[in-house]
Amino acid sequence: MDIDSKLTDDVLCLTVQESRIDAAGAVAFKEKIRSLVTDFSGRVVIDMHKVDFLDSSGLGALVAVMKMLDGGRRLELARCGTIVRKVLMLTRMDSVFELHETVPSGVGSGQDAA
């Protein structure tokens, strides 16, 4: 799973470079995110602008990622396309994740995270 990461202050912006988060890639997605958020205590924003398909396995992977975040932090999703947003709304997960129309100001313009 190809995911770019940028760290700006206390915000980690992860940009999914794949068009699908589905059963075929859900495990790889979770493992890649786990490697990026382990020991990170700030905000985590996933830029979803390239994702045009999300199935139940992908949705489960997003929930699993949020559970990885300690301290009850909410996972933030930015730039979800029409189909992804519809899946989130139909499953009422739009109330679980914090959604942004754009990547929050200043996020993702910092240094590459390891």
Side-chain angles (χ1 to χ4, degrees):
M1 178 65 60
D2 189 12
I3 300 173
D4 293 339
S5 62
K6 296 279 185 184
L7 182 61
T8 306
D9 298 322
D10 68 340
V11 181
L12 180 61
C13 182
L14 306 174
T15 303
V16 180
Q17 298 294 332
E18 308 283 339
S19 63
R20 302 172 65 91
I21 304 175
D22 57 13
V27 172
F29 175 81
K30 285 189 293 190
E31 291 308 313
K32 178 69 174 188
I33 300 283
R34 181 186 318 275
S35 72
L36 294 167
V37 302
T38 299
D39 299 325
F40 181 74
S41 60
R43 289 172 54 199
V44 176
V45 177
I46 299 180
D47 183 346
M48 304 277 287
H49 80 278
K50 292 188 177 180
V51 178
D52 58 20
F53 182 79
L54 179 72
D55 70 2
S56 60
S57 296
L59 189 58
L62 287 172
V63 171
V65 165
M66 189 165 74
K67 289 181 178 182
M68 288 177 204
L69 304 178
D70 59 349
R73 292 180 288 159
R74 287 178 67 187
L75 182 61
E76 300 178 45
L77 305 178
R79 301 199 297 170
C80 296
T82 304
I83 293 171
V84 171
R85 188 171 285 276
K86 185 179 283 188
V87 169
L88 295 172
M89 290 174 63
L90 288 171
T91 58
R92 298 184 189 236
M93 296 307 284
D94 58 331
S95 64
V96 173
F97 301 112
E98 187 171 336
L99 302 182
H100 302 284
E101 291 295 322
T102 61
V103 175
S105 181
V107 173
S109 59
Q111 64 197 30
D112 285 335

